[in-house]
Amino acid sequence: MSFLGGAECSTAGNPLSQFSKHVQDDRTLQHDRLVGRGPGASMGGFRSTPASAPQDEMVNGFLHQNPNLPEIPLEQQAPLPHVHIDPNHAVHLHPQAATPMSPQASMEAAFNVPPGTQFSPEEFAKFQQMNATSTVAPSPAASVTTQPQAAMPMTMQPLAAPMYRPMMSHPMYQPMYGPQMMHMPQQPQQEVQGKGKERLVELDDSKWEEQFKQMELHDRQLREEEAAKTEEKDEAKAMEPELNKMDEQLHSETGYGDLESIWAGIQKEQEALRDLDDEENYVRFDNGSFDNTSWGINSGFGTGPIVEPYMFEQENIFQNEQNPFEEGLRIMREGGNLSLAALAFEAAVQKNPDHVEAWVHLGSAQAQNEKEEAAIRALEHALKIDPNNLDALMGLAVSYTNEGYDSVAYRTLERWLSVKYPQIIAPADVSAPAEMGFTDRAKLHERVTNLFLEAARLAPDGDHMDPDVQVGLGVLFYGAEEYDKAVDCFQAALHSSIQGSSNQREQVHLLWNRLGATLANSGRSEEAIAAYEKALAIHPNFVRARYNLGVSCINIGCHAEAAGHLLAALDMHKSVEKSFRDRARELLGVNKDDPSADARIEAMTTQNRSTTLYDTLRRVFTQMGRPDLAEKVVVGVDPDIFRGEFDF
Amino acid sequence: MSLKNDKFPASAAFDEINKALTASEATRKDAIKQGNAVFAFTLKNAAGETESWYIDLKNKGEVGKGLPEKPTVTLLLSDADFGALIAGKANAQKLFMSGKLKIKGDVMKATKLDPILKKAQTKAKL
């Protein structure tokens, strides 16, 4: 760069050497654009910034700093600035150039904005005068702010420096510049002019761009250099739409029209929060204390529910069955009564306590039978025998999610993944059980979700993805209440052409029910009901789907139908108990009319009972305005007493 | 006796939880075992009034009005947010993260609230 350093260019003679000093400082601009884009930066915008004396000093300081710049009137400049500036503003520019005013006054006159926030025309004139080196890229905003300083052409830096320096040198201007450069290019000019407070249009990028283009036209000497730089310009141009898009996002994220309303919104929210906590010692999100990792790390088992050993029914009609496990499988296959199936599997594990498959099927049957607690106990037992049983792990994760033990559910899914995809997470790396606060739980969720996503990406295409991974992902998204994503996952599992354990014929009704439950909890009850119907078409005795159907009916206000479904579900439980009771009577050889025998038998058949159905039914009756019926709903009540009122 | 306070519409949920707890002895014992804490709730309604309830899952397994002597954890939130929480439309974690739920006492215990609140919720199951 001979014109910067040569003997012919003394410090006094060449203004560029002055400017080159500031090149180092100019980085703030890049930082501002790419880093400091947060709401804080937007809020510091010049619109709400009051004029302050230091700024004026900066401007004056700048002007006096280069005394050896010749004072050439504006009109003598090769490209006439007013050609490119709005006529009404140009009117101001002319007289002003002729009659010297203080920079401050001229700014106000020319731009009619709060003082101290604008270029002065003089400054602009000086700046223009230097167009001997004007090889500025057509879009200064994009190029200056996105290219690393080192990559910038040297000839451009001197130009950029005087242009931005007065603004950047005061911290107040830093936030201002970013938003302005960002917003202006995408705003139509007329629209902007309409608003009183946005009369800064003449600083608009496109204006400057035109200006610079003009300068380029008049600048013959440096054509070659310019040609060398066209590549960079193109880059800058290509960058522009992307940046504009980012700006739009920035806008839409806030959801507010302008900065002031954002600020007002924040203020209001703060007010409300302050209002809420008058007591100092409440744990707040921002005081960081809850994030203390020393909390409960070694509490081991503390976080999950306390799982007790599985409780068997005392009398079991399958006790003397030759192969109760096969019998249970047959009942499940044929869509038979789930309570019966559970009894068959109970008999199987009583015969052979190490029969893992029987334990898993027992858990699965109890979960489908809307007896979550029994399911958890059975599945945990299965894992004691075989810690790597995939079906048991997945079933447990689902059950824990249903019961609200989210962190345990996430860890269980992690274990599942480590067994099936050890290449993604080694079994040794799974998270240790620990009591968790909200933040740790969110972190765990994110971690496990990412692992599952990684596993999902192993599949070559949508049709061949592992449906089980999709189910796991679905459960994870469901836990985080990201229902739309969960719906996608369950649907993907249903449509996958790869046979996994979750979409095999015996389990596909579970998948339909999971899809339905997710839809229901995201407020899409009608679609959910369609999914439940599919599940029930496959397995008519699927108590959980029937219960869920009842819940969806409640949600859409069909209380009578809801009660019908819930009673039907209860009846499925009860019918087995009844038939068993008859049999028990025979076994015990008691008189049918002896009430004390009934009580004894009752005690035998109530080991695994779900109160969910009763609770929900009671709620339905209350919502229907039938407290008389609600009173009658006690655990163990015979649904037959409601037959007159409801069809089921 | 109803635990509901008409000025706090969402407080009807305490009756729900109470019914669920007292439905059977086994349920109550189980809830005590799993919860093992006294949860106090201080709700604030739109008019700015506050009222407290508690769910004792440590000693008796009951729901009552007023602040208990030694709550394991106290949760402070608005009546509307509590209603959303009970309806399953909001979750405690998100309320907490956004500062709408304040917690005093053992924060870890607060995460155990989900299984208890599930008892009062009518929510579909996977």
Side-chain angles (χ1 to χ4, degrees):
Chain A
M1 295 293 159
S2 60
F3 58 93
L4 275 182
E8 78 277 15
C9 299
S10 70
T11 310
N14 190 351
L16 288 174
S17 59
Q18 287 282 334
F19 294 131
S20 66
K21 286 179 188 169
H22 306 295
V23 165
Q24 300 305 319
D25 303 330
D26 201 32
R27 286 171 197 277
T28 46
L29 195 58
Q30 279 94 346
H31 294 180
D32 187 39
R33 175 65 192 250
L34 293 176
V35 180
R37 292 170 46 106
S42 313
M43 261 180 279
F46 53 86
R47 282 171 219 165
S48 53
T49 306
S52 62
Q55 293 165 24
D56 301 345
E57 281 169 26
M58 300 306 291
V59 175
N60 291 334
F62 170 75
L63 292 172
H64 297 132
Q65 191 184 327
N66 303 309
N68 35 18
L69 283 174
E71 296 286 337
I72 303 169
L74 206 65
E75 279 78 7
Q76 289 180 14
Q77 295 303 304
L80 292 177
H82 67 264
V83 173
H84 311 290
I85 294 179
D86 288 354
N88 48 336
H89 295 294
V91 170
H92 291 287
L93 279 175
H94 278 287
Q96 191 205 310
T99 57
M101 293 161 84
S102 80
Q104 182 60 50
S106 64
M107 269 189 281
E108 280 184 78
F111 296 105
N112 197 11
V113 292
T117 57
Q118 201 46 270
F119 284 95
S120 78
E122 279 95 330
E123 188 185 330
F124 184 59
K126 282 165 200 145
F127 161 58
Q128 279 212 320
Q129 179 213 351
M130 298 176 306
N131 67 1
T133 59
S134 75
T135 51
V136 177
S139 63
S143 60
V144 169
T145 53
T146 54
Q147 287 177 352
Q149 185 83 36
M152 251 197 245
M154 271 310 276
T155 46
M156 193 174 151
Q157 286 168 359
L159 253 190
M163 180 175 161
Y164 297 130
R165 199 196 55 88
M167 310 182 84
M168 302 313 295
S169 54
H170 193 279
M172 209 159 224
Y173 285 121
Q174 292 186 13
M176 158 192 155
Y177 212 83
Q180 197 223 344
M181 290 303 254
M182 283 189 276
H183 298 164
M184 287 308 182
Q186 65 203 44
Q187 283 169 349
Q189 180 116 2
Q190 299 94 315
E191 199 181 289
V192 172
Q193 276 175 330
K195 294 178 192 167
K197 56 177 164 178
E198 299 198 28
R199 266 184 231 144
L200 302 171
V201 186
E202 50 276 48
L203 247 196
D204 172 351
D205 279 355
S206 55
K207 289 278 167 197
W208 284 113
E209 274 171 46
E210 280 171 33
Q211 202 80 34
F212 291 141
K213 274 181 192 158
Q214 278 293 326
M215 288 187 240
E216 277 166 25
L217 281 177
H218 289 264
D219 182 10
R220 302 252 156 93
Q221 297 161 340
L222 293 168
R223 272 279 159 86
E224 295 104 345
E225 263 190 59
E226 203 175 290
K229 270 166 223 126
T230 41
E231 214 179 293
E232 278 163 26
K233 287 180 209 164
D234 289 345
E235 261 176 42
K237 266 183 189 161
M239 193 83 79
E240 215 164 17
E242 203 177 318
L243 287 165
N244 287 346
K245 209 172 131 199
M246 278 161 77
D247 296 339
E248 269 165 43
Q249 283 170 352
L250 197 75
H251 263 302
S252 58
E253 258 167 35
T254 59
Y256 287 93
D258 64 317
L259 301 172
E260 267 155 62
S261 61
I262 298 176
W263 182 239
I266 292 169
Q267 294 280 27
K268 210 175 147 193
E269 199 164 304
Q270 288 289 328
E271 199 99 314
L273 289 181
R274 223 174 293 131
D275 213 34
L276 194 64
D277 64 310
D278 357 49
E279 289 185 60
E280 281 299 303
N281 50 353
Y282 279 95
V283 179
R284 304 244 197 95
F285 173 68
D286 54 350
N287 73 0
S289 68
F290 71 95
D291 210 358
N292 193 336
T293 41
S294 68
W295 282 68
I297 214 104
N298 48 8
S299 57
F301 203 54
T303 170
I306 300 145
V307 181
E308 309 226 321
Y310 189 85
M311 297 202 294
F312 295 100
E313 302 292 345
Q314 290 179 6
E315 294 287 332
N316 192 329
I317 47 170
F318 294 99
Q319 239 163 8
N320 302 316
E321 195 77 30
Q322 269 304 313
N323 194 341
F325 180 67
E326 280 304 320
E327 183 67 18
L329 287 181
R330 191 187 60 79
I331 297 170
M332 293 291 273
R333 216 168 27 237
E334 291 170 0
N337 191 296
L338 291 163
S339 296
L340 273 180
L343 281 175
F345 291 125
E346 279 188 21
V349 297
Q350 278 173 314
K351 269 193 175 161
N352 177 9
D354 289 335
H355 196 327
V356 178
E357 281 305 302
W359 278 111
V360 173
H361 277 94
L362 175 57
S364 172
Q366 294 288 32
Q368 295 174 50
N369 207 15
E370 192 49 55
K371 293 182 176 180
E372 203 80 76
E373 203 188 326
I376 291 175
R377 289 175 180 186
L379 292 171
E380 284 285 3
H381 194 107
L383 286 180
K384 260 184 220 156
I385 308 164
D386 175 12
N388 293 334
N389 189 294
L390 287 171
D391 287 342
L393 285 168
M394 186 58 83
L396 258 185
V398 170
S399 290
Y400 281 136
T401 303
N402 283 336
E403 291 291 284
Y405 298 106
D406 291 6
S407 43
V408 195
Y410 303 154
R411 272 199 299 275
T412 312
L413 282 169
E414 199 183 22
R415 263 168 81 191
W416 181 91
L417 198 68
S418 75
V419 174
K420 187 148 190 190
Y421 290 91
Q423 69 269 37
I424 286 178
I425 175 170
D429 293 342
V430 297
S431 323
E435 194 153 344
M436 297 203 156
F438 290 122
T439 316
D440 288 339
R441 193 166 76 183
K443 277 185 200 151
L444 177 69
H445 180 268
E446 195 188 332
R447 176 181 135 90
V448 180
T449 306
N450 286 336
L451 290 172
F452 265 82
L453 285 171
E454 214 175 299
R457 272 187 226 113
L458 292 178
D461 61 63
D463 271 357
H464 296 87
M465 60 176 83
D466 182 345
D468 301 352
V469 169
Q470 292 297 320
V471 171
L473 256 183
V475 174
L476 280 167
F477 285 132
Y478 178 92
E481 301 189 352
E482 295 180 52
Y483 295 124
D484 288 348
K485 289 183 191 169
V487 165
D488 287 347
C489 292
F490 289 130
Q491 271 167 347
L494 274 169
H495 295 132
S496 175
S497 56
I498 298 292
Q499 193 72 12
S501 75
S502 60
N503 64 348
Q504 60 184 324
R505 218 186 62 79
E506 285 80 15
Q507 291 203 12
V508 77
H509 61 286
L510 291 179
L511 215 38
W512 279 113
N513 177 59
R514 279 166 199 171
L515 176 62
T518 312
L519 289 166
N521 286 336
S522 56
R524 292 150 77 180
S525 293
E526 287 80 2
E527 291 167 72
I529 288 171
Y532 296 142
E533 298 286 3
K534 291 233 181 197
L536 285 167
I538 298 165
H539 199 315
N541 278 319
F542 190 1
V543 176
R544 168 152 295 164
R546 181 76 59 179
Y547 161 80
N548 281 340
L549 196 51
V551 170
S552 281
C553 287
I554 297 172
N555 289 341
I556 58 174
C558 304
H559 291 117
E561 285 80 359
H565 288 304
L566 293 170
L567 285 167
L570 273 178
D571 195 48
M572 288 177 209
H573 283 177
K574 208 72 189 177
S575 62
V576 174
E577 284 178 32
K578 271 188 210 155
S579 66
F580 169 68
R581 206 171 298 180
D582 291 340
R583 206 176 147 141
R585 278 201 194 89
E586 284 171 35
L587 287 171
L588 292 170
V590 293
N591 187 333
K592 273 199 173 205
D593 302 320
D594 179 3
S596 67
D598 260 2
R600 268 163 59 208
I601 296 162
E602 180 79 18
M604 289 179 186
T605 55
T606 52
Q607 291 293 6
N608 291 308
R609 206 170 233 177
S610 154
T611 58
T612 325
L613 288 169
Y614 297 105
D615 290 343
T616 314
L617 185 60
R618 199 182 308 120
R619 237 167 272 156
V620 175
F621 287 148
T622 313
Q623 285 178 18
M624 287 171 80
R626 293 293 301 271
D628 54 320
L629 293 178
E631 299 252 314
K632 288 188 200 165
V633 183
V634 290
V635 173
V637 71
D638 188 341
D640 274 350
I641 62 168
F642 301 107
R643 269 209 196 272
E645 301 254 4
F646 302 99
D647 286 333
F648 60 92
Chain B
M1 186 198 83
S2 173
L3 297 164
K4 191 187 169 193
N5 181 333
D6 286 333
K7 285 182 187 163
F8 299 83
S11 66
F14 291 111
D15 278 324
E16 287 290 332
I17 297 171
N18 197 30
K19 266 185 219 154
L21 271 182
T22 51
S24 82
E25 193 60 24
T27 322
R28 182 158 70 209
K29 281 196 179 136
D30 190 56
I32 293 174
K33 210 158 47 199
Q34 306 293 4
N36 192 27
V38 181
F39 299 92
F41 293 83
T42 300
L43 304 190
K44 185 166 191 154
N45 68 7
E49 299 164 291
T50 57
E51 182 75 53
S52 296
W53 287 262
Y54 66 89
I55 305 174
D56 175 0
L57 294 179
K58 195 167 194 166
N59 312 310
K60 290 183 220 141
E62 60 170 23
V63 185
K65 260 187 188 172
L67 269 180
E69 272 186 22
K70 278 187 198 160
T72 320
V73 56
T74 305
L75 297 100
L76 179 82
L77 69 169
S78 76
D79 182 65
D81 286 335
F82 182 69
L85 194 62
I86 291 296
K89 291 197 181 84
N91 74 27
Q93 175 167 327
K94 281 183 186 155
L95 288 178
F96 183 68
M97 294 295 201
S98 57
K100 287 174 180 164
L101 166 68
K102 309 269 186 280
I103 298 170
K104 187 166 69 171
D106 187 349
V107 194
M108 291 301 164
K109 283 287 180 195
T111 58
K112 297 207 169 170
L113 202 62
D114 281 344
I116 292 146
L117 292 178
K118 283 254 165 30
K119 289 192 192 303
Q121 288 172 1
T122 308
K123 226 178 158 188
K125 292 188 180 180
L126 287 178

